[in-house]
Amino acid sequence: MNDLIIRTGKIEDAYDFSHLILLSAPVFFPSLFGDDVLEVMENLFRYPRNIFSFEHSYFIEMENKVAGMVLGYTWKEREREELYTGFLLFKYLGWDILTRVPYLLRVQSILGNLVAGDYYISNIAVYPEFRCSGLGTRLLEKVEEEAGERGCKMMVLDVEADNRGAISLYEKLGYNAGERSSVVKIKGKSFEFFRMKKKIGG
């Protein structure tokens, strides 16, 4: 894999970001953000200082093609950027956000809750044609390295409880599954998650 590159995200990656983030949660994100989810994610990605920003992403390339990405941030960034993320969601969802507020608040209360020292892996995805090549593992190793350099002590992620393939990968890489979360119901669909963690550093 001499042609493999991992790099920080750029504004120009907005198209790939939106499609990869949808691959990471193909039912959950459209349920939460609506039919315009791709456009919403592209727009948020282009803005600095929000939790979906290009600033929090890494992309992996093979043969000069984007193959996958990971989105993650520290507990400090989550705390600092949550309000502005909400403002941007209002900007791009418009008044439709009012019908989604109960779901957004419910999701916020369950997913991404962090304490001091946490680094949160929000989303990770690899395009289907590049899967089974170890790229997801390489992306996780990259964000773990960054998290350690930034003084974090714990990697944290939430994975849908029925995503056995992802859970198995995380377990192989040293992540431990905790209790199942409460069920999130969005417009008749139910979503349940495992919180998984891994200690890093000393």
Side-chain angles (χ1 to χ4, degrees):
M1 289 197 190
N2 293 331
D3 56 352
L4 185 128
I5 297 171
I6 299 179
R7 59 169 175 79
T8 54
K10 303 176 289 189
I11 293 174
E12 295 78 22
D13 294 314
Y15 175 88
D16 282 305
F17 172 77
S18 65
H19 285 77
L20 284 162
I21 203 168
L22 187 57
L23 279 177
S24 75
V27 178
F28 179 70
F29 271 127
S31 299
L32 187 60
F33 296 118
D35 295 336
D36 295 329
V37 59
L38 288 172
E39 183 179 349
V40 171
M41 288 295 109
E42 277 194 49
N43 285 321
L44 265 63
F45 182 77
R46 294 188 179 104
Y47 275 85
R49 299 183 302 280
N50 82 89
I51 62 174
F52 294 104
S53 172
F54 67 93
E55 297 174 315
H56 302 310
S57 66
Y58 282 97
F59 285 77
I60 192 163
E61 295 183 0
M62 284 188 68
E63 301 170 0
N64 296 316
K65 295 178 182 178
V66 170
M69 73 89 196
V70 62
L71 178 73
Y73 41 81
T74 68
W75 84 101
K76 289 180 181 177
E77 290 164 332
R78 166 86 183 202
E79 189 175 86
R80 186 171 63 237
E81 298 176 3
E82 206 163 31
L83 187 61
Y84 187 55
T85 304
F87 167 78
L88 290 175
L89 283 171
F90 178 77
K91 178 177 181 178
Y92 291 111
L93 288 173
W95 292 110
D96 184 46
I97 197 173
L98 297 180
T99 66
R100 301 181 182 280
V101 165
Y103 310 123
L104 290 166
L105 291 176
R106 178 67 171 157
V107 168
Q108 183 185 36
S109 72
I110 292 174
L111 304 183
N113 285 329
L114 305 177
V115 298
D118 285 351
Y119 186 99
Y120 188 65
I121 300 171
S122 175
N123 300 89
I124 182 169
V126 173
Y127 281 126
E129 61 266 36
F130 293 103
R131 289 177 186 164
C132 302
S133 300
L135 302 188
T137 298
R138 297 289 292 270
L139 285 167
L140 286 168
E141 290 171 347
K142 180 64 178 178
V143 291
E144 288 176 11
E145 178 185 338
E146 160 152 334
E149 290 174 353
R150 299 179 70 182
C152 296
K153 303 298 182 186
M154 184 76 71
M155 303 298 297
V156 181
L157 59 88
D158 294 297
V159 59
E160 290 188 48
D162 60 357
N163 192 345
R164 297 306 312 170
I167 292 170
S168 177
L169 171 63
Y170 298 139
E171 287 177 337
K172 286 177 184 176
L173 295 175
Y175 288 78
N176 298 308
E179 296 296 318
R180 288 184 182 224
S181 72
S182 301
V183 174
V184 180
K185 291 186 178 181
I186 305 175
K187 295 191 173 181
K189 296 184 178 73
S190 296
F191 301 92
E192 195 171 12
F193 296 83
F194 275 124
R195 168 61 58 103
M196 303 187 75
K197 298 181 179 181
K198 177 181 179 179
K199 289 183 179 179
I200 58 173

